Each structure stands twice: as structure tokens, then as C-alpha cells.
Amino acid sequence: MKGNILGDIRAENDISMLEMTFWQTTDYKALLESYDRPIVVGRRGTGKSALVHMLSKHWEKKAKTRVLVITPVEEQIIGLRDVLKLFGDNYLHIKAGSKLAWRYALYMEVIVDLANHYKLKNFIDTKSIEKHLTSWGAKRQNITSKIRKKLLNIIENEKGNRTPESRIADLSDEFELELLEEVILEAMNESGYQVVIFSDKLDEGYTPDNMGVAIVDGFVQSIIDIKHSLEEKVVAFAFIRDNIYRAISKNDPDFTRNIEGQTLRLHWDEYNLFNLVCNRLRAAFNSTIENNTRVWNAHTADALRAREGFRIALKLTLYRPRDILVLLNDAFLRAGTQNRDTIIYDDIDCTAKQISNNRLNDLLKEYETVFPALDVFTSCFKNTKPEMFVSEAETLIENQLDSLQSISKLTAQDIILSDEPKQVIQRLYSIGFIGVYNQSSSSFVFCHDGKEPDRDFLPSTKILLHPCYWLALGITNQEIKLEQAEDIHDEYDIEVSAVDSEFRSKRIGALMAELNSIPEGHIGASDFESWTKRALTLLFATDLENLELHPNKNNLQQRDIVATNLGSTPLWKRILDDYNSRQIIFEVKNYKDLTSSDYRQANTYLSKEYGRMAFIVCRDINNNLSKHKELNWVRELYNDHNKLIIKISSKFLEKQLSKMRSPQKHDELSKEISKLLDQYIRMWLPNKCKA
């Protein structure tokens, strides 16, 4: 049996099946009949590329009509970002420059198409626009490449230093947009032709930052401008993903006035999806049955029969063509492996669980570098209810963290940096794992750009686990309804944004900055002890266990910080074996110059489980021992008592924290301490001392 018996889920790979089985929805018919809403918005998998293909075929058949399909190229969009930086970092400036550039590019694509047509070239006033035609480039080149080169050429010919504002102001004159409009309109009026432009895949090379959003916003605005400027002699449509549209609505202050009323949002319901599936079943199985229910029943069994059976399958999706086709393709493939030509409920159920597991695994893999503890945090919600209050989620997270065992150091550090359940919830929201209930829209809002949320998470705030992960988490007693599904924006080709990538760096940076605000001496002693404990907990995550501040505060001997040495790494196994130190002492001194009393005090703490080694953390600028003081005291304790006291400066810890901002350097400190230990043994302690 074919792997995708009902067709490929990507329209561009499914042309024959698409053309044979295309279901004409109300949205499709609306786009045929009216140019009022040139911006077509849809969630991923709602058939935008399929619409572009079928609409372009429809207009190609019309007399005196030219059709252009515009699709930007990822690598050229990335290159365009670099050029548009010359318009500054103000969103409105980038959008304005982008709009002018795209409008020029679309005009030139129309002119080049007309100039290459054996009839229409006679209606083009090529002399008046000769310099534009000469510099624009061949028809076969991608539009993004050509506009990028055009902008670079303009910038190279600039005289003197130009501000972003002056560049934008001069672009319209440089592009001569009014002249190009005049040439196009004259050609269209004289020839009686119409040009229809379809712009698809505007998410190519898209990044959810100000620059990325402004580039697409500029394109959308240029499409709307064409509608008003070229009097329907040139008609343009832009098909964009819902997540990008929402980003534009958030960033563009003119969104309501300029864009909102120009938008057609794609909707799918049970009726339309059933017709789409039945059309594909007829084509896949060469069926001549006309009645849709009978077609469905011919290829299903038991609980899946009739419209009620289709509803069962549909409730395992987010009510989109792509979802139901993936589900049924895999279900038929499973049935084929068991020599069946009909699918049963078990086929649907197993397939849906596998799809959900794949989605969750994709999420974990996508974020494994910048969110190492994601697997731990998502596991908190296994076998729970999908809808809950923030307070309930916080309890689940706390319970999970209390029972953690056998995790990597990188994961442990990520958990420490997410130092409270509320922050974990915020991070899970930022990557689309959970949604937050919006009172004004009465729906759950999901975010997928990785940015820090701009909303507060109160204990009474309602959240929803994303339905695509329910089955992977063992949530099987819940169903998603159509109205809920349409409010879920499942952009599962996840963009790991710079903001999310910098979470680790920002949190560690905040800890480093805190050190510099702590005054030396008695007044800052308590704060420095607390800071040292948090720094050591982070740096020695999984190496040392149960770090405790003043564990014996009521005793005569009050040790500052004590941790249990698990002996789980080469460094700490060496310290356990050579110095019998199961309990590790860190004495904390909030001043630079240590005294002999500090060393003798540390010495008195070393007995039994504490072994023969301790550390003193102080505010010195490095770990070096002063020649006639600290060096003598260390040697005295080592020679007379066979105990080793190692000095660690706060600057050294700060340096190790700085290195740790890069996940690749999460274990640098153990290597540095090991080197320091060798330095004591080989350089600072005389050879005659006992090992």
C-alpha cells in the first residue's frame, strides 16, 4: 500500500491528487468572486499553498489574464535582512523601507512579464523605464535576490553618510514608483489584459523578531497598496501564516486601520473536511460511489463508520486538512501491514498517539540546547487533566522536582536557573506547550516565538496544555472542539528565538551582577554567603548534593556552607579518595585579605566525615596565595596536620559563571579546581610534605 494513499500533505508535492480531488470551499469561491480581501491568513496546514495553485490555474484559463506566483527564497530573505538594517532598528522605519522595496519589486516583476510576452511587449513604454529594466535582472531570478541587489546598488552609489530616515525618504524617488504605475496602467488599458499576483510562502527565512515581522508587514502593505493604486488592472493576493499575522497585529500601530479589514481568514469545519476526505478516498481507491457517507463506510469499519465515526477521527486533530490527511494516511498504512483495506478505531488511535509522541519529541529536540530541562518539566503533566489553574500546575512542578533522580548536569543547572514554578510555566508558555486563557476572546492563547511572555501568571489564571501533546502525555479522556481548535495556532516548525536562547545567559548574568552590588565587610557578609551558596549550587549541580547554609548554626562550630560529595566525577572522587572528605566545607569570608585565624578555624572543622580538605571563599581578585602569609599558613596546616585548605576567590567564581553562560562550557569549574589542586600539590606545598 502507498505510504500516503490520500496524497502528500504538501500541496506542491501533491499536484495530481490536488487537481483531481480539490474541494471548493466558501473561502475559495470568495477569492474568485472578489478582490476586497487580498490578505489571506491561515494556520499551518489549512491549505494556503493548495489555494494558490488552484486559484492560479483558474485565472490562467481566463482570456487576457497573466498570472504571477511570487515565492521568496529563504537564503535571500536572510540576506535581505542584512541590507534592511540600513534603515535602522525602528520597526516603523524598517516596515516603511520594506514596503517601498517590495512594491517596486512587484511592479518590476509585472513589467518584466509583460515585456517578455510576444503581444504585450508592444504596449510597454520601455524607453521611459529603460534604466529599471536594465538593472532589474532576468525573469528566472528570484524576486528576493533581485530586490536585494537593487537595494545594495542604491546604497553603494550614495554620497556621504545617510541616516535611515533620509534613505527611506529618497527611496520612492529612486524607485520612480509613480512612473512605473503609469507604464503598467497604460499597458493594461491599451491591451485589455489583467495581471493577477499570488504571493505564497512568505514565512521563508522568517524570524520572529522586529526585523522579520517588519519585512513581511512591508510585503503585506505593498499588496494592499497595489489594490488601491492599479485600479484592479493588477490584482495581488498574499497568503500568510497566522503566527506572522498575529505578530504584525501586535507590532504595527496602523494594523487596525490598514490591514485588518483587508483580511480573509481560512476556516475549516466538519462538513468541508468530510467532503475533502471523501473526494480523496474516491481518487485513491478508484471508487465510483457518489454518496460521501457510503464512500467513507466502504473504507472504514466498526466505530469509524458513518459520520459519527468520522467525528471520532476528527476529534484527534485540530480540524485542518493536513491533520486529518496525516492521520488517515498513517492509519491506512497500518491497516495495510495487517492485510486490511479498511481502517478501524485501533488504527486511528495508535496513529494519533504516534503523531502526538512525534510532536513532543520534535519539541524536545528543537529546544534541547537552550532548554535542557524541558523534558523534565513536560513530564510534570503526564496523566493529568489538560486544563487547570496556574496554582495546580505549580504544585505538579514542585512534586516532580522533589523526586528527580539521575539527570545531567546541564539539565540540573537549567532547573536551578528556573528557580520557581511560576517561571517554569512562563517558559512553557513561551514555546507553545501551554496556552493561557484570554478573558476578552474567551479562548486559550498559545505563543510560539520563544519570547518572554508579556502577561502575568496569577494562581487563578487558567492554562491549557496544547492538544497536540495530550496523547503523548497520557491524556486520553479529553476532546478538542472545533471552536477551541480554531483558536489554537499550532506552528510546529518551531523557531528558537534569540530571546529564549539567552535565558541561561540572562539568568547567570543577573547572578554575576548581584555579586558586584554586595559591599565587602560585615555589612554584606550575609548577602555574600547567600550569593556563594547559589553560585556553588549552580556550578556544582549533580556533583555536590544538599548544599546547606549554616547547617549547624546552634553548635559551637558553625560551618558556613556544607555539601555532600557524591564522588560522581573524577575531581570529587579524587577528593573523596585522597582526603576522605564526604562532607565538603566552604568557609565564606566577605573580605579580600585572609588571616591565619581563618585558616586555623577551617582546620578545626576537619574531622571524621569532613575529611582533610576544605575551601575558603573570599573577595580576593584571584586564587593565588600571598607569599609570606597564606602560603606559610597552608604549608603549616599541611605539614603539621596533613590537612589542605584551598582558597577560592569570588572573581574566580564569577569567571566560571561567565563561562557557564555557554551550555557547551557547563562543566568548566571541575577542570579548573582540578588544576588548582595540582598547583597546590606540585608548586605551593614542599615535596617533603606527606601526600
Side-chain angles (χ1 to χ4, degrees):
M1 180 173 283
K2 280 179 61 179
N4 294 320
I5 194 166
L6 299 187
D8 198 289
I9 60 171
R10 292 176 65 90
E12 54 268 40
N13 299 333
D14 191 35
I15 299 303
S16 59
M17 176 67 85
L18 176 65
E19 293 179 357
M20 196 185 332
T21 65
F22 183 71
W23 172 248
Q24 297 186 8
T25 62
T26 304
D27 294 332
Y28 171 78
K29 294 173 183 176
L31 291 169
L32 288 181
E33 295 167 2
S34 172
Y35 310 137
D36 289 345
R37 295 179 178 265
I39 311 304
V40 184
V41 178
R43 295 176 294 154
R44 185 173 181 125
T46 49
K48 294 184 295 298
S49 294
L51 276 175
V52 168
H53 179 78
M54 297 306 294
L55 287 168
S56 63
K57 279 188 66 69
H58 169 84
W59 260 291
E60 283 171 353
K61 293 176 183 176
K62 293 181 68 174
K64 293 193 171 184
T65 303
R66 298 291 297 167
V67 175
L68 300 179
V69 178
I70 305 294
T71 53
V73 175
E74 180 180 20
E75 58 269 21
Q76 293 299 334
I77 287 287
I78 294 170
L80 186 61
R81 287 174 60 92
D82 192 51
V83 180
L84 291 178
K85 287 178 182 177
L86 294 165
F87 296 131
D89 54 10
N90 181 288
Y91 179 85
L92 292 179
H93 291 172
I94 301 169
K95 183 195 78 171
S98 170
K99 180 178 77 168
L100 289 170
W102 285 122
R103 190 170 164 191
Y104 175 80
L106 291 169
Y107 284 176
M108 288 307 302
E109 288 296 278
V110 170
I111 288 170
V112 168
D113 182 73
L114 299 179
N116 282 279
H117 190 273
Y118 74 101
K119 273 187 184 179
L120 297 176
K121 64 183 179 182
N122 299 318
F123 298 100
I124 289 285
D125 180 8
T126 55
K127 286 187 178 180
S128 65
I129 57 170
E130 186 174 359
K131 69 173 185 178
H132 295 288
L133 280 171
T134 303
S135 63
W136 183 238
K139 187 177 180 180
R140 66 179 181 276
Q141 289 180 301
N142 186 269
I143 185 174
T144 321
S145 172
K146 287 185 278 190
I147 191 57
R148 178 174 174 270
K149 289 177 181 176
K150 179 69 177 180
L151 288 170
L152 285 172
N153 185 55
I154 292 172
I155 292 162
E156 285 172 2
N157 293 326
E158 285 181 351
K159 294 180 180 179
N161 293 325
R162 309 294 302 281
T163 65
E165 291 84 354
S166 62
R167 281 197 179 102
I168 294 166
D170 292 342
L171 263 188
S172 183
D173 292 337
E174 184 70 35
F175 286 150
E176 296 186 299
L177 294 175
E178 291 183 359
L179 173 62
L180 298 182
E181 286 174 3
E182 186 180 320
V183 168
I184 292 170
L185 284 172
E186 184 180 333
M188 297 291 94
N189 288 326
E190 290 183 10
S191 66
Y193 268 70
Q194 182 185 44
V195 175
V196 184
I197 301 172
F198 295 100
S199 308
D200 191 22
K201 299 183 181 177
L202 297 183
D203 55 331
E204 289 290 322
Y206 171 74
T207 304
D209 56 12
N210 266 3
M211 175 70 75
V213 178
I215 289 173
V216 184
D217 192 358
F219 195 107
V220 167
Q221 299 275 5
S222 70
I223 294 293
I224 295 170
D225 285 351
I226 286 174
K227 170 188 170 184
H228 297 303
S229 302
L230 296 179
E231 304 169 5
E232 295 190 0
K233 300 298 181 181
V234 176
V235 178
F237 296 94
F239 291 74
I240 65 172
R241 289 241 300 270
D242 187 87
N243 65 315
I244 302 176
Y245 182 76
R246 286 182 287 120
I248 292 172
S249 70
K250 182 178 179 181
N251 288 18
D252 192 338
D254 299 320
F255 171 81
T256 304
R257 184 174 73 247
N258 295 340
I259 300 177
E260 192 172 40
Q262 309 289 329
T263 302
L264 173 70
R265 185 176 288 278
L266 300 178
H267 290 282
W268 285 89
D269 55 22
E270 179 193 317
Y271 170 78
N272 284 297
L273 289 168
F274 188 61
N275 280 282
L276 178 148
V277 167
C278 290
N279 280 357
R280 296 210 170 207
L281 285 171
R282 287 190 189 91
F285 293 99
N286 298 314
S287 173
T288 57
I289 301 173
E290 293 186 8
N291 181 275
N292 279 345
T293 303
R294 289 177 58 198
V295 170
W296 174 256
N297 288 344
H299 304 288
T300 58
D302 63 40
L304 289 185
R305 291 176 64 82
R307 287 290 287 268
E308 189 57 40
F310 180 73
R311 290 190 190 102
I312 291 173
L314 204 55
K315 286 176 180 177
L316 296 171
T317 73
L318 288 178
Y319 292 81
R320 296 173 302 194
R322 177 168 298 184
D323 292 353
I324 191 64
L325 291 179
V326 168
L327 184 65
L328 294 177
N329 274 337
D330 288 355
F332 275 112
L333 188 62
R334 183 178 186 273
T337 62
Q338 299 177 15
N339 297 317
R340 288 185 281 107
D341 57 4
T342 59
I343 56 173
I344 59 177
Y345 177 77
D346 281 352
D347 297 325
I348 292 286
D349 187 50
C350 290
T351 297
K353 286 178 181 175
Q354 185 58 52
I355 291 171
S356 183
N357 282 322
N358 291 343
R359 294 278 179 83
L360 184 57
N361 288 334
D362 286 346
L363 183 77
L364 298 178
K365 284 186 288 186
E366 196 72 36
Y367 282 97
E368 64 183 352
T369 302
V370 297
F371 198 165
L374 180 58
D375 191 10
V376 172
F377 293 140
T378 55
S379 298
C380 300
F381 299 94
K382 285 186 175 179
N383 303 310
T384 62
K385 57 185 181 180
E387 185 179 328
M388 65 187 74
F389 294 109
V390 164
S391 58
E392 296 175 278
E394 288 177 332
T395 300
L396 291 173
I397 292 167
E398 286 173 345
N399 292 341
Q400 175 79 347
L401 297 184
D402 288 342
S403 60
L404 281 180
Q405 293 180 346
S406 303
I407 58 174
S408 71
K409 187 167 188 174
L410 201 57
T411 299
Q413 289 172 341
D414 198 38
I415 291 170
I416 294 166
L417 291 170
S418 300
D419 54 8
E420 56 180 25
K422 180 180 175 180
Q423 190 172 67
V424 174
I425 293 169
Q426 290 174 325
R427 294 184 75 189
L428 293 176
Y429 168 77
S430 75
I431 63 168
F433 182 75
I434 63 173
V436 179
Y437 188 72
N438 187 312
Q439 292 283 357
S440 59
S441 63
S442 299
S443 63
F444 286 95
V445 178
F446 287 81
C447 165
H448 290 271
D449 56 17
K451 293 183 179 179
E452 291 181 346
D454 56 358
R455 62 183 69 239
D456 197 12
F457 288 79
L458 302 173
S460 58
T461 301
K462 282 198 294 185
I463 61 174
L464 179 73
L465 306 183
H466 198 295
C468 78
Y469 306 122
W470 286 2
L471 296 180
L473 295 170
I475 302 169
T476 57
N477 58 345
Q478 298 287 329
E479 295 176 351
I480 191 74
K481 297 178 181 177
L482 172 60
E483 57 271 21
Q484 291 175 306
E486 287 208 319
D487 287 323
I488 290 173
H489 313 288
D490 183 40
E491 306 306 331
Y492 46 82
D493 60 334
I494 300 156
E495 290 280 0
V496 181
S497 80
V499 175
D500 192 84
S501 301
E502 290 171 4
F503 171 82
R504 180 185 181 92
S505 181
K506 285 174 64 178
R507 294 290 293 172
I508 295 174
L511 183 60
M512 292 165 59
E514 187 180 332
L515 172 63
N516 297 323
S517 68
I518 300 174
E520 293 187 28
H522 180 72
I523 191 172
S526 178
D527 290 338
F528 183 56
E529 284 181 341
S530 177
W531 182 90
T532 302
K533 178 182 179 292
R534 281 181 285 137
L536 294 174
T537 300
L538 185 61
L539 289 164
F540 289 124
T542 71
D543 298 344
L544 298 177
E545 193 175 67
N546 193 25
L547 271 84
E548 197 172 352
L549 190 63
H550 300 301
N552 54 340
K553 63 179 66 176
N554 296 322
N555 292 356
L556 185 62
Q557 291 184 319
Q558 296 182 14
R559 300 171 178 89
D560 289 340
I561 298 173
V562 177
T564 303
N565 178 8
L566 303 176
S568 57
T569 64
L571 167 66
W572 294 104
K573 188 176 187 305
R574 173 185 179 182
I575 291 173
L576 182 61
D577 291 346
D578 293 356
Y579 300 94
N580 300 318
S581 295
R582 174 64 73 182
Q583 297 294 320
I584 303 296
I585 295 172
F586 295 91
E587 280 300 288
V588 183
K589 307 300 178 185
N590 192 32
Y591 42 81
K592 177 181 177 182
D593 298 320
L594 297 176
T595 67
S596 59
S597 297
D598 296 327
Y599 279 88
R600 292 193 182 100
Q601 181 186 37
N603 175 54
T604 63
Y605 295 155
L606 294 177
S607 62
K608 298 185 178 179
E609 289 83 358
Y610 295 95
R612 298 184 294 108
M613 174 183 282
F615 297 87
I616 298 180
V617 180
C618 67
R619 297 297 290 266
D620 205 349
I621 59 173
N622 57 53
N623 295 335
N624 294 334
L625 301 177
S626 57
K627 189 172 183 181
H628 297 296
K629 293 182 179 180
E630 294 169 339
L631 185 57
N632 290 340
W633 302 330
V634 168
R635 286 177 175 174
E636 178 187 335
L637 292 176
Y638 193 70
N639 289 333
D640 296 347
H641 302 280
N642 199 23
K643 295 176 183 177
L644 182 59
I645 310 297
I646 292 182
K647 167 186 161 185
I648 294 179
S649 73
S650 59
K651 285 295 182 183
F652 173 76
L653 293 180
E654 186 180 21
K655 180 182 176 182
Q656 299 310 312
L657 287 170
S658 180
K659 288 182 180 180
M660 212 188 76
R661 286 185 291 190
S662 168
Q664 290 75 24
K665 297 182 179 180
H666 67 278
D667 203 18
E668 286 290 303
L669 181 58
S670 291
K671 298 175 185 176
E672 293 297 325
I673 295 290
S674 186
K675 290 179 184 177
L676 184 61
L677 183 53
D678 285 340
Q679 191 170 1
Y680 269 76
I681 299 299
R682 298 172 185 177
M683 290 180 56
W684 292 336
L685 298 176
N687 292 331
K688 66 180 181 179
C689 295
K690 297 179 182 178

